[in-house]
Amino acid sequence: MRFLRAIVIIGVILGALFVGADRWAVDYAENQLADKIQSRQGLSGDVKVDIHGFPFLTQALDHRLEQVDLVLTGVDASAEGRKARLTRIEAAFHDVKLNSDYSGGTAGRAEGKALVSYADLTAASETGVTVSYGGQPGKLKVSATVDFLGRKFTRSVISTVTLEDAKDSPGGKIVRVRAEEVPGEGIPGIEKVVRKKTDFDRRLDAGLPAGLKLTTLTSDEAGVHLALTGTNVSLAGS
């Protein structure tokens, strides 16, 4: 009985040591991957990585991870000299095959969501307008001050925000903002001047990991929400 009890105690101790070592290893790997992603993306915000599955060490030795979750903030999407920012990205990467040197990997599939705050969307317009929620999904309120015939006019319009295919980039997507109606009060030519500020297109997929695509869009009080999906998605240094 004493012998069996000693075997059980030793087994418990070894099991605890293995679990502790495994948790230390996964924490280290998560921090390393977060650093690589932050450096590669040039992020000013935070990167949080969560590696799923137990034990981690056997997954690492097999160069295959069950699932990796990422939360990114401040992802810049610059295209054609114009800057835009994805305020927050949350994504789950499944069946991740690691490189031989563990510098990165490729996920078999991935899905997630992105948020563009109204502050970041206002900055992306680059025309001095203010963008806010339009009262219902897919609608924005865009306010602009314009100079017309020596006078300043302030106009607020309700605009539709949609996700469209980028004609100059196969597979690329743009966020398109278009005013439904511009109140002109019978002044000829003012609608064109207002639309020059309130209507705009911006690429928002340029800063995403290779293979991850924007699919659908809606809006609410928090901002513009985009769904993400992809296959063979690159992670970190892959």
Side-chain angles (χ1 to χ4, degrees), residues 144-165:
T145 298
V146 299
D147 292 316
F148 186 72
L149 299 178
R151 296 177 57 190
K152 288 187 179 294
F153 292 84
T154 300
R155 292 288 183 271
S156 292
V157 299
I158 297 300
S159 299
T160 299
V161 56
T162 56
L163 187 65
E164 309 286 345
D165 293 329

Side-chain angles (χ1 to χ4, degrees), residues 159-224:
S159 299
T160 299
V161 56
T162 56
L163 187 65
E164 309 286 345
D165 293 329
K167 295 181 180 179
D168 58 345
S169 176
K173 295 289 185 179
I174 61 173
V175 172
R176 173 164 293 165
V177 178
R178 291 290 184 272
E180 295 181 345
E181 183 179 355
V182 177
E185 300 175 356
I187 304 174
I190 194 172
E191 178 176 352
K192 182 178 179 180
V193 174
V194 172
R195 283 188 178 276
K196 191 174 181 179
K197 281 201 166 186
T198 61
D199 294 358
F200 59 92
D201 296 341
R202 288 296 179 270
R203 283 282 303 275
L204 287 179
D205 60 351
L208 297 177
L212 198 59
K213 304 295 183 183
L214 303 175
T215 56
T216 59
L217 175 153
T218 188
S219 64
D220 61 14
E221 293 86 349
V224 173

Side-chain angles (χ1 to χ4, degrees), residues 41-42 75-86 126 202-208:
Q41 297 287 142
V75 179
D76 289 323
S78 299
E80 302 169 357
R82 293 176 171 176
K83 291 185 177 181
R85 172 165 287 196
L86 293 162
E126 298 182 353
R202 288 296 179 270
R203 283 282 303 275
L204 287 179
D205 60 351
L208 297 177

Side-chain angles (χ1 to χ4, degrees), residues 1-50:
M1 289 296 293
R2 289 180 180 178
F3 175 75
L4 291 176
R5 186 179 303 150
I7 292 296
V8 170
I9 292 173
I10 291 172
V12 170
I13 292 173
L14 291 177
L17 289 173
F18 175 77
V19 171
D22 193 76
R23 292 303 88 191
W24 178 88
V26 75
D27 287 344
Y28 178 80
E30 288 171 348
N31 291 333
Q32 289 293 106
L33 182 56
D35 288 345
K36 285 181 177 293
I37 292 172
Q38 186 155 30
S39 175
R40 177 188 173 195
Q41 297 287 142
L43 302 176
S44 58
D46 295 329
V47 179
K48 182 180 179 182
V49 177
D50 186 11

Side-chain angles (χ1 to χ4, degrees), residues 35-113:
D35 288 345
K36 285 181 177 293
I37 292 172
Q38 186 155 30
S39 175
R40 177 188 173 195
Q41 297 287 142
L43 302 176
S44 58
D46 295 329
V47 179
K48 182 180 179 182
V49 177
D50 186 11
I51 298 175
H52 291 253
F54 179 82
F56 163 73
L57 289 172
T58 56
Q59 293 186 81
L61 289 173
D62 192 38
H63 286 264
R64 187 184 296 269
L65 301 178
E66 176 183 314
Q67 180 177 330
V68 178
D69 291 347
L70 297 183
V71 178
L72 313 177
T73 59
V75 179
D76 289 323
S78 299
E80 302 169 357
R82 293 176 171 176
K83 291 185 177 181
R85 172 165 287 196
L86 293 162
T87 309
R88 180 181 174 90
I89 295 176
E90 299 178 21
F93 299 83
H94 304 275
D95 189 21
V96 179
K97 297 178 182 178
L98 298 173
N99 295 345
S100 59
D101 60 357
Y102 297 98
S103 64
T106 302
R109 63 182 177 87
E111 72 277 338
K113 57 186 179 180

